[in-house]
């Protein structure tokens, strides 16, 4: 039901994408981080009502990973950026 | 054949010149063009059309539209059998075959209704207590009985020969419902050029206006509204189209039915089409549904909603009875009384109120209608047909019996607000109509007419034009000219008084939910047992959980429960898509058979098919399972193919392996991060087996990566994880490691892969590719050569999955068949044969290589005996969480080999492992993942996971397979069954 505005390809149906999880927290740098930090990164997620930053990959399009801001209460998408260039508002 | 017993000589909106023949319960009957199956049956005097779900009570038509709970029929025959179709929405067509359901041997004489002792068993809470209670096992006992006794129509097992389609569409404004409000709103919305889609589930537009006399001013107005809508060039009117559900992003699922035009599947004509419509704005003009009154035996055939009787009379020119009683708590049913009287039918009107709209009263007096105030029905009389009604008059001061064969009832109206709640919006209780209406709508959604509680035509028209203009503006195409909002016809009177609690008579059932046979007594029982909230009530009594989703029962149940609880709490229930039942065929569309999902084929596919390859599905791939040269069954052939590989040489198609081209200055660093073992020092010309973990330290995949040149690598993944690994690499490079200069691209489809294995593999290669130095010195174990052979780019890897001397050869897809045939032809003197997936998988079990069945994203590196591969000198993905104590526990289930100890028995994948002597109950200590007959060891061997793993080597276990009542003894051994030193690899 979602339409995701891919920065490369334009507005596309969500069925062209795969969901990639929470994009709100940075991944610990490679080779660093304690077990607890990795545990929290891998297993512990907030479940916010409202804006949620999350990854989507345009698997049936340009293959780019996007950071999408989606309102979990309304499913409205307020922003979609290439993950490489993603910035916070 | 307008001479049907109950067809009036004039009137109606049916085509009297067009007779349509159909079959009902084996009888040949005739109706008219414009009839529904229901109106045609009523015209022929058929009033008994079904037996109820639980009690097998005789049932007739309650309604004339989509809310009908009783008249569910099975249409068609043979493979074109469709059960549970509402006769009230089925457009009559020539040759239609209809049968009643849930009655045996016939609807007229139903054995189960005769058998006593059945009804008490299925009282309120029966399902709940049986299936949710402490003795769930009772389901096992009752299930066959219930399935047979209580049920709707039966599906048949033949393949549906009809074609179904899916269509995608876009609109600026979607208007749902082409009644007066919808027609006016759509015309307004389209006036400025907005693309308006107006959908109507009926085959005639007009909604409630179709219930007015065909000679009335209302009919002229209806035609005018339709003409005005159709005059809009950007307005698309879709009849026979029902909005099933409203989803996020203004996506609406529509169901188009084409049954009326017997569709020819061979010409590509679809019987039903699900339309996925995306629209900028939505106008709900879905109208309202009349609700029944509650009184004893209110389900007798001939007891009908007042508006339905009026529709049968005025739209279809069918008198549903010859003597009528109309019972009501509101003004709307007076129109039914007036129209019945005008058709010459004697009418008695029972109104629970003390007065009604003045014009209606005047009209009724003129028509000679016998009016009783403060009067309400107590109990319907009769059995298979209503013969009268016992009523309480003068506020219960007096009881009187009225004879009738048609008992019309109206308990008020419930806005058809179902769709407005699909996106999560709630309904609120409106005191004025004692019913629920939308509390608010999503942005860009509008409503008009009865759905918003505006039952008067005048108010609906004003609201419709306003909504049309607003929806067009929202869509960015403002309306240019608005239709007039002055109502050109007499308005609908809307006086209403809540029905209150019905006077219950002992021994009679007052039905609240007709389809699921829930009575007022069931509500009282639910209340007594504490199941008061709507959601509990529904689950306890099954109220509202039939295919009609409680269209004529939810609101009455909530009203009665509130009375029982002495509360006015406006608790409502949740409506979910689909609004009406939808066939599985329509939902599936064309995604059936070979269109179910894409099939991936190797470039060698045609060769396999032409040369005795038997195919098997492996994920999306069709792969060669085994070849006929080796035997006529998989069980026979794979052993023969294994023998060829172990003794001579075989070649297998491994094109389905994932292949990823990795390039860039940081490619080595990248590989070094994703594999647990070291890749930083992998030199050009070398290949290495590697294992990747997920972040949580479960094994993601294994495979071989070859270094073709500095900064250029060729990765292979398992078939199953190819897509997953590709996405994962892209994720890492595009999110976390954007500083690495690496590009990855999938080349799975670009390269054919073949595995050449066996002690004679090198000789085979030399015969096939003369001139290439294939010596051990030139192509040592775990090396790669990038060659060009007679213009054909060739990647030659020396690695082994089978444990034999083996090579993997990769050539561009177009060269695959040529190389494959060349290998088979040139090495024919060596006895080379193709071998399939089954042998490939079996050879690796003998060698203890893990594959998809072991790599299930639950097992760790250590569980699979691969812990030693992990580098201690560098970080890799999953390293941190691999150290979790839970994952290092010594008693984790880990990889073992098993040898079958019983010659006459076999091991089976999925068998549960128990220690010798221990009772075989519960989940055991592990399970078998992969099994094969070992041609080297002459016995069944297996890989499996066992608690504590290799510490238990030498112990005997029992392999339980309860599905076949088997328990087979096996010995735990090392998973490396053959050539433990790896001598065969390095020759
Ligand atoms: Zn894209």
């Amino acid at each position: 039901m979602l339409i995701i505005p891919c920065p490369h390809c334009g507005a596309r149906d969500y069925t062209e994408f795969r969901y990639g999880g929470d994009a709100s927290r940075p991944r610990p740098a490679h080779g660093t981080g304690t077990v607890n930090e990795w545990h929290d990164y891998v297993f512990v997620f907030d479940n916010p009502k409202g804006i949620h930053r999350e990854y989507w990959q345009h698997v049936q399009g340009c293959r780019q990973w996007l950071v999408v801001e989606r309102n979990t209460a309304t499913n409205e998408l307020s922003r979609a950026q290439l993950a490489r260039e993603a910035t916070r508002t | 054949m307008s001479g049907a017993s109950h067809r009036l000589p004039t009137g109606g909106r049916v085509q009297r010149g067009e007779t349509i023949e159909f079959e009902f319960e084996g009888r040949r009957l005739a109706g008219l063009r414009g009839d529904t199956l229901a109106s045609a049956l009523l015209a022929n005097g058929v009033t008994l059309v079904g037996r109820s779900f639980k009690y097998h009570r005789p049932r007739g038509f309650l309604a004339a539209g989509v809310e009908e709970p009783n008249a569910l029929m099975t249409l068609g025959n043979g493979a074109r059998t469709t059960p549970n179709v509402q006769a009230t929405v089925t457009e009559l067509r020539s040759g239609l075959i209809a049968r009643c359901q849930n009655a045996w041997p016939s609807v007229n004489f139903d054995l189960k209704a005769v058998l006593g002792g059945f009804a008490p068993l299925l009282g309120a809470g029966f399902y709940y207590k049986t299936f949710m209670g402490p003795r769930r096992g009772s389901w096992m006992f009752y299930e066959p009985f219930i399935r047979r006794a209580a049920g709707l129509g039966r599906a048949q097992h033949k393949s549906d020969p009809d074609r179904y389609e899916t269509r995608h569409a876009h609109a600026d404004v979607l208007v749902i419902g082409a009644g007066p409000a919808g027609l006016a709103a759509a015309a307004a919305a389209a006036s400025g050029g907005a693309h308006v889609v107006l959908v109507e589930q009926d085959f005639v537009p007009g909604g409630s206006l179709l219930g007015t006399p065909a000679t009335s001013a209302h009919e002229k107005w209806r035609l005018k509204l339709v003409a005005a809508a159709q005059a809009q060039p950007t307005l698309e009117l879709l009849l026979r189209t029902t909005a099933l559900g409203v989803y996020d992003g203004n996506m609406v699922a529509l169901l188009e039915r084409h049954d009326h035009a017997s569709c020819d599947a061979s010409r590509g004509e679809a019987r039903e089409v699900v339309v996925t419509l995306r629209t900028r704005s939505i106008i709900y003009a879905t109208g309202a549904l009349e609700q029944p009154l509650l009184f004893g035996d209110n389900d007798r055939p001939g007891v009908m909603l007042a508006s339905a009787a009026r529709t049968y009379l005025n739209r279809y020119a069918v008198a549903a009875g010859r003597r009528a009683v109309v019972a009501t708590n509101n003004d709307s049913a007076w129109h039914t009384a007036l129209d019945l009287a005008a058709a010459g039918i004697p009418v008695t009107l029972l109104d629970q109120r003390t007065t009604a709209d003045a014009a209606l009263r005047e009209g009724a007096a003129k028509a000679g209608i016998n009016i009783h105030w403060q009067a309400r029905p107590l109990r319907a009389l009769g059995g298979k047909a209503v013969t009268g009604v016992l009523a309480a008059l003068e506020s219960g001061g007096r009881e009187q019996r009225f004879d009738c064969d048609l008992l019309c009832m109206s308990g008020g109206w419930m806005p058809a607000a179902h769709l407005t709640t699909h996106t999560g919006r709630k309904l609120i209780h409106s005191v004025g109509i004692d019913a629920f209406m939308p509390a608010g709508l999503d942005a860009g959604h509008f409503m008009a007419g009865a759905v918003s509680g505006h039952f008067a035509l005048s108010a609906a028209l004003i609201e419709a034009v306003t909504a049309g203009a607003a929806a067009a503006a929202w869509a960015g195409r403002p309306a240019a000219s608005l239709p007039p909002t002055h109502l050109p016809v007499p308005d609908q009177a809307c006086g209403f008084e809540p029905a209150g609690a019905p006077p219950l008579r002992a021994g009679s059932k007052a039905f609240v939910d007709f389809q699921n046979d829930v009575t007022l007594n069931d509500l009282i029982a639910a209340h007594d047992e504490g199941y008061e909230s709507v959601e509990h009530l529904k689950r306890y009594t099954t109220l509202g959980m039939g295919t009609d989703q409680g269209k004529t029962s939810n609101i009455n149940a909530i009203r009665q429960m509130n009375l029982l609880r002495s509360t006015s709490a406006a608790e409502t229930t949740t409506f979910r898509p689909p609004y009406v039942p939808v066939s599985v065929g329509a939902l599936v569309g064309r995604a059936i058979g070979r269109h179910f999902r894409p099939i991936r084929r190797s470039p060698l596919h045609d060769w396999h098919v032409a040369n005795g390859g038997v195919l098997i599905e492996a994920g999306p791939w069709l792969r060669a399972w085994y070849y006929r040269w080796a035997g006529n069954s998989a069980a026979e052939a794979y052993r023969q193919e294994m023998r060829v590989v172990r003794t001579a040489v075989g070649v297998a198609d491994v094109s389905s392996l994932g292949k990823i081209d990795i390039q860039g200055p940081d490619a080595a660093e990248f590989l070094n991060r994703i594999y647990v073992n070291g890749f930083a020092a992998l030199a050009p010309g070398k290949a290495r087996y590697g294992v990747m973990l997920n972040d949580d330290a479960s094994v993601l995949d294994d495979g071989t990566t070859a270094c073709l040149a500095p900064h250029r690598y060729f990765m292979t993944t398992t078939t199953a994880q190819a897509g997953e690994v590709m996405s994962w690499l892209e994720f890492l490079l595009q999110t976390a490691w954007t500083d690495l200069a690496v590009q990855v691209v999938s080349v799975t489809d670009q390269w054919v892969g073949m595995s050449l294995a066996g002690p004679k593999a090198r000789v085979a290669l030399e015969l096939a590719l003369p001139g290439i130095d294939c010596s051990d010195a030139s192509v040592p174990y775990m090396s790669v050569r990038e060659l060009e052979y007679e213009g054909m780019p060739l990647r030659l890897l020396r690695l082994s999955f089978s444990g034999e001397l083996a090579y993997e050869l990769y050539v561009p897809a177009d060269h695959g068949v040529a190389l494959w045939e060349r290998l088979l032809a040139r090495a024919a003197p060596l006895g080379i044969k193709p071998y399939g997936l089954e042998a490939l998988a079996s050879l690796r079990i003998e060698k203890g290589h893990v594959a998809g069945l072991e790599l299930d994203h639950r097992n760790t590196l250590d569980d699979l005996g691969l812990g030693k591969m992990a580098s201690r000198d560098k970080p890799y993905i999953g390293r941190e969480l691999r150290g979790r104590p839970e994952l290092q526990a010594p008693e984790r289930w880990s990889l073992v080999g098993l040898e079958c100890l019983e010659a006459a028995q076999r091991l089976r994948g999925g068998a549960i492992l128990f220690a010798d002597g221990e009772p075989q109950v519960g989940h055991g200590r592990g399970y078998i993942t992969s099994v094969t007959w070992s041609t080297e060891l002459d016995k069944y061997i297996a890989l499996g996971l066992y608690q504590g793993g290799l510490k238990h080597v030498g112990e005997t276990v029992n392999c339980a397979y309860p599905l076949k009542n088997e328990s087979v003894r096996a010995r735990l051994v090392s998973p490396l069954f053959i050539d433990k030193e790896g001598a065969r690899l390095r020759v």
Side-chain angles (χ1 to χ4, degrees):
Chain A
M1 290 83 67
L2 301 174
I3 296 276
I4 297 178
C6 174
H8 270 164
C9 312
R12 297 299 184 95
D13 196 272
Y14 78 108
T15 52
E16 293 182 10
F17 295 78
R18 69 175 280 174
Y19 181 68
D22 190 351
S24 65
R25 283 164 312 156
R27 180 186 176 86
H30 186 67
T32 71
T34 63
V35 170
N36 283 340
E37 283 162 355
W38 277 95
H39 172 272
D40 288 354
Y41 168 73
V42 172
F43 296 112
V44 184
F45 301 98
D46 291 334
N47 186 15
K49 180 178 181 181
I51 301 292
H52 185 233
R53 282 170 66 87
E54 56 201 22
Y55 288 117
W56 289 81
Q57 186 187 17
H58 198 185
V59 284
Q60 292 180 45
C62 60
R63 303 281 310 175
Q64 292 301 298
W65 280 91
L66 312 181
V67 173
V68 171
E69 289 178 9
R70 179 177 64 96
N71 186 319
T72 59
T74 63
N75 262 345
E76 270 172 281
L77 300 188
S78 45
R79 203 163 185 223
Q81 310 169 82
L82 292 178
R84 292 181 185 283
E85 299 165 359
T87 54
R88 285 164 187 279
T89 34
Chain B
M1 208 179 289
S2 55
S5 61
H6 285 63
R7 183 87 66 186
L8 299 173
T10 58
R13 294 165 177 88
V14 283
Q15 312 294 316
R16 290 185 184 264
E18 276 195 72
T19 299
I20 294 179
E21 297 204 345
F22 67 103
E23 189 184 309
F24 173 71
E25 292 276 278
R27 290 165 60 193
R28 297 191 64 77
L29 298 173
L32 298 174
R33 168 89 46 218
D35 263 329
T36 59
L37 176 57
S39 68
L41 288 171
L42 279 171
N44 284 281
V46 176
T47 56
L48 174 59
V49 294
R51 290 277 172 170
S52 73
F53 183 62
K54 281 197 296 192
Y55 303 127
H56 286 254
R57 287 170 66 101
R59 289 285 169 83
F61 300 103
L62 178 73
V66 72
E67 68 273 36
E68 174 61 41
N70 295 331
L72 303 183
M73 296 188 183
T74 297
L75 303 188
N77 55 14
R80 284 199 170 84
T81 301
T82 310
N84 307 332
V85 181
Q86 292 168 305
T88 51
V89 298
T90 301
E91 189 172 351
L92 194 66
R93 57 183 184 271
S94 181
L96 185 74
I97 299 170
R99 289 190 304 283
C100 296
Q101 301 179 161
N102 203 25
W104 189 85
S106 77
V107 68
N108 218 8
F109 178 79
D110 180 31
L111 201 58
K112 295 212 177 68
V114 177
L115 291 172
F118 184 67
L121 179 66
L122 293 172
F126 169 77
Y127 288 88
Y128 186 87
K129 285 170 182 163
T130 304
F131 311 135
M132 297 301 288
R135 288 165 57 227
R136 287 182 198 209
S138 47
W139 170 241
M140 300 295 185
F141 175 76
Y142 286 121
E143 191 261 353
F145 170 66
I146 293 167
R147 288 260 187 256
R148 207 169 47 241
L152 299 168
R154 283 165 189 249
Q156 45 75 42
H157 295 269
K158 299 185 183 101
S159 180
D160 189 337
D162 287 322
R163 185 180 172 111
Y164 301 82
E165 287 285 355
T166 308
R167 181 162 74 82
H168 293 266
H170 294 263
D172 292 322
V173 180
L174 170 68
V175 183
I176 304 171
L183 287 164
S191 64
H195 176 211
V196 176
V197 173
L198 169 59
V199 297
E200 170 54 53
Q201 62 193 1
D202 205 328
F203 52 94
V204 182
S208 62
L209 296 180
L210 293 169
T212 62
T215 52
S216 64
H218 290 87
E219 171 65 2
K220 289 196 188 75
W221 185 44
R222 179 183 77 88
L223 295 172
K224 234 172 110 179
L225 284 171
V226 172
Q230 285 175 334
Q232 295 291 348
T234 57
L235 190 153
E236 199 180 341
L237 171 60
L238 301 178
L239 298 176
R240 304 178 180 91
T241 303
T242 307
L244 297 173
V246 177
Y247 303 88
D248 293 324
N250 278 357
M251 196 198 92
V252 183
L254 307 173
L255 177 68
E256 277 181 16
R257 294 177 306 276
H258 299 267
D259 257 346
H260 60 288
S262 46
C263 305
D264 184 350
S266 68
R267 289 160 43 115
E269 293 168 352
R271 178 178 174 183
E272 294 176 350
V273 180
V274 167
V275 183
T276 303
L277 180 86
R278 290 197 178 265
T279 179
R280 292 182 198 275
S281 52
I282 299 174
I283 300 174
Y284 300 100
T286 44
L289 301 172
E290 194 171 27
Q291 300 299 310
L293 285 171
L294 304 184
F295 53 89
D297 298 324
N298 58 346
D299 64 328
R300 291 295 179 220
V303 181
M304 188 181 283
L305 293 170
S307 59
R310 190 175 184 223
T311 296
Y312 287 121
L313 182 75
N314 291 328
R315 177 170 174 184
Y316 305 108
V318 171
R322 297 197 160 102
R323 173 179 286 273
V325 171
V326 177
T328 185
N329 65 346
N330 66 85
D331 285 345
S332 71
W334 284 64
H335 294 285
T336 302
L338 288 168
D339 291 350
L340 287 170
I345 296 165
V347 179
T348 298
L349 206 162
L350 309 175
D351 196 322
Q352 75 170 48
R353 302 171 300 169
T354 53
T355 189
D357 176 79
L360 292 174
R361 278 186 287 135
E362 198 181 318
K366 268 191 204 157
I369 292 172
N370 179 18
I371 302 168
H372 293 272
W373 299 106
Q374 292 179 298
R376 49 200 297 169
L378 294 174
R379 185 155 69 86
L381 307 173
K384 288 178 192 166
V386 69
T387 56
V389 58
L390 186 67
L393 306 183
E394 298 158 12
S395 295
R398 188 160 71 81
E399 290 185 6
Q400 187 175 330
R401 180 192 161 129
F402 299 91
D403 289 339
C404 63
D405 62 351
L406 172 64
L407 175 51
C408 306
M409 58 179 170
S410 179
W413 294 75
M414 168 69 198
H418 306 65
L419 293 167
T420 70
T421 68
H422 286 179
T423 55
R425 291 267 165 183
K426 296 287 182 206
L427 302 177
I428 50 162
H429 183 252
S430 167
V431 177
I433 55 173
D434 191 24
F436 294 100
M437 52 173 281
L441 298 172
D442 287 356
H445 293 198
F446 307 88
M447 59 183 167
V451 66
S452 71
H454 289 132
F455 296 156
L457 287 171
S458 53
L461 182 57
I462 293 168
E463 194 183 21
V465 172
T466 308
W474 180 273
R477 291 183 177 273
S481 65
L482 295 180
T485 55
H486 169 72
L487 186 68
V489 294
D491 208 351
Q492 160 119 4
C494 300
F496 167 83
E497 175 187 294
L504 260 192
R505 306 284 290 191
S508 66
K509 287 183 160 65
F511 283 87
V512 182
D513 183 329
F514 291 72
Q515 189 177 94
N516 270 1
D517 267 359
V518 179
T519 66
L520 198 52
N521 279 334
D522 293 330
L523 299 195
I524 294 168
H527 175 260
D528 290 347
E529 297 202 23
Y531 296 95
E532 296 180 346
S533 94
V534 181
E535 296 304 330
H536 291 162
L537 175 66
K538 281 174 70 171
R539 282 151 186 82
Y540 187 78
T541 62
T542 72
L543 179 126
M545 297 175 85
T547 60
D548 63 346
Q549 280 196 54
K551 290 188 177 72
T552 54
S553 61
N554 278 335
I555 183 68
N556 268 339
I558 291 167
R559 287 168 179 165
Q560 293 306 316
M561 185 54 84
N562 282 350
L563 290 170
L564 289 167
R565 297 168 74 181
S566 306
T567 169
S568 59
E571 198 187 3
T572 178
T573 181
T574 310
F575 297 108
R576 295 188 177 87
Y579 176 64
V580 294
V582 52
S583 69
V584 173
L587 293 175
V588 171
R590 295 287 291 148
I592 53 167
R594 65 195 178 90
H595 298 294
F596 180 65
R597 63 176 181 189
I599 296 171
R600 300 186 74 177
R601 296 181 181 86
S602 153
L604 300 174
H605 176 84
D606 290 346
W607 189 94
H608 300 320
V609 172
N611 291 277
V614 177
L615 303 173
I616 188 171
E617 284 183 29
W621 289 89
L622 264 186
R623 297 187 64 180
W625 185 17
Y626 63 91
Y627 295 86
R628 295 248 181 247
W629 74 261
N632 287 318
S633 69
E636 184 186 1
Y638 84 87
R639 298 181 193 190
Q640 191 56 33
E641 292 174 9
M642 285 173 79
R643 283 184 201 107
V644 163
V645 173
R646 294 275 181 237
T647 59
V649 57
V651 61
D653 180 0
V654 295
S655 301
S656 65
L657 292 178
K659 306 171 206 89
I660 302 174
D661 192 313
I662 300 174
Q663 299 191 30
D666 295 321
E669 167 65 15
F670 177 60
L671 292 167
N672 207 39
R673 291 183 184 188
I674 59 173
Y675 282 123
V676 300
N677 43 331
F679 272 73
L682 187 68
K686 296 291 178 195
R688 188 163 289 173
Y689 172 74
V691 179
M692 297 178 202
L693 306 186
N694 293 301
D695 278 335
D696 69 1
S698 61
V699 175
L700 166 61
D701 198 39
D702 69 347
T704 305
T705 290
C707 183
L708 301 173
H711 308 168
R712 274 184 66 222
Y713 295 84
F714 180 61
M715 172 185 282
T716 60
T717 74
T718 62
T719 300
Q721 297 297 325
E724 199 64 26
V725 170
M726 185 65 199
S727 264
W728 175 232
L729 302 186
E730 289 165 327
F731 176 82
L732 292 167
L733 290 170
Q734 293 176 31
T735 65
W737 301 343
T738 51
D739 54 323
L740 292 187
V742 179
Q743 292 293 331
V744 293
V745 63
S746 168
V747 292
T748 301
D749 292 331
Q750 281 73 15
W751 294 85
V752 168
M754 42 196 96
S755 169
L756 183 72
K760 298 178 180 170
R762 182 178 296 124
V763 186
L765 207 52
E766 285 165 349
L767 288 173
L769 306 171
I772 292 184
D773 179 4
C774 302
S775 67
D776 186 50
S778 175
V779 189
Y781 183 57
M782 297 312 282
S783 70
V784 61
R785 288 287 172 273
E786 209 177 12
L787 307 162
E788 195 170 291
Y789 191 80
E790 294 181 0
M792 168 176 71
L794 169 69
R795 290 176 182 177
L796 176 64
L797 279 80
R798 169 129 176 238
L799 50 91
S800 178
F801 195 48
S802 58
E804 300 300 326
L805 169 66
Y807 301 86
E808 277 180 11
L809 291 85
Y810 292 90
V811 291
D814 290 349
H815 296 280
V817 175
L819 178 63
W820 178 268
E821 288 184 333
R822 187 184 180 105
L823 283 167
L824 289 171
R826 301 279 176 99
L830 304 176
I832 190 171
K833 291 289 181 187
Y835 65 103
L837 182 61
E838 190 67 28
L840 202 65
S842 294
L843 291 161
R844 66 98 188 172
I845 295 173
E846 285 186 322
K847 197 62 187 168
H849 284 309
V850 292
L853 292 163
E854 288 79 29
L855 304 176
D856 66 354
H857 287 247
R858 291 188 297 176
N859 298 321
T860 67
L861 204 56
D862 303 276
D863 295 342
L864 299 177
L866 301 170
K868 283 181 199 142
M869 283 184 65
S871 168
R872 294 176 183 281
D873 308 325
K874 58 137 196 177
Y876 51 85
I877 285 178
R879 181 182 70 162
E880 289 78 11
L881 293 183
R882 183 181 168 220
R884 283 181 288 162
E886 298 81 358
L887 299 189
Q888 297 295 333
E891 289 304 298
R892 277 184 68 84
W893 292 9
S894 55
L895 190 73
V896 292
L898 295 105
E899 286 179 352
C900 188
L901 292 175
E902 298 184 42
Q905 299 291 332
R906 58 160 302 171
L907 301 177
R908 293 185 192 277
I912 305 167
L913 303 179
F914 294 95
D916 201 15
E918 133 184 281
Q920 295 178 26
V921 290
H923 296 281
R925 293 167 185 267
Y927 59 95
I928 291 179
T929 52
S930 308
V931 176
T932 185
W933 175 263
S934 169
T935 50
E936 295 251 323
L937 303 178
D938 256 350
K939 61 177 82 161
Y940 275 103
I941 61 168
L943 298 178
L945 295 160
Y946 191 75
Q947 191 180 74
L950 295 177
K951 281 192 298 189
H952 298 278
V953 160
E955 294 177 13
T956 300
V957 295
N958 287 302
C959 313
Y961 200 79
L963 289 179
K964 291 191 181 287
N965 220 5
E966 282 180 4
S967 179
V968 177
R969 285 155 55 77
R971 182 185 296 117
L972 297 179
V973 296
S974 157
L976 191 52
F977 291 92
I978 60 165
D979 188 27
K980 292 185 165 48
E981 306 75 30
R984 300 182 192 180
L985 300 172
R986 298 172 189 277
V987 290

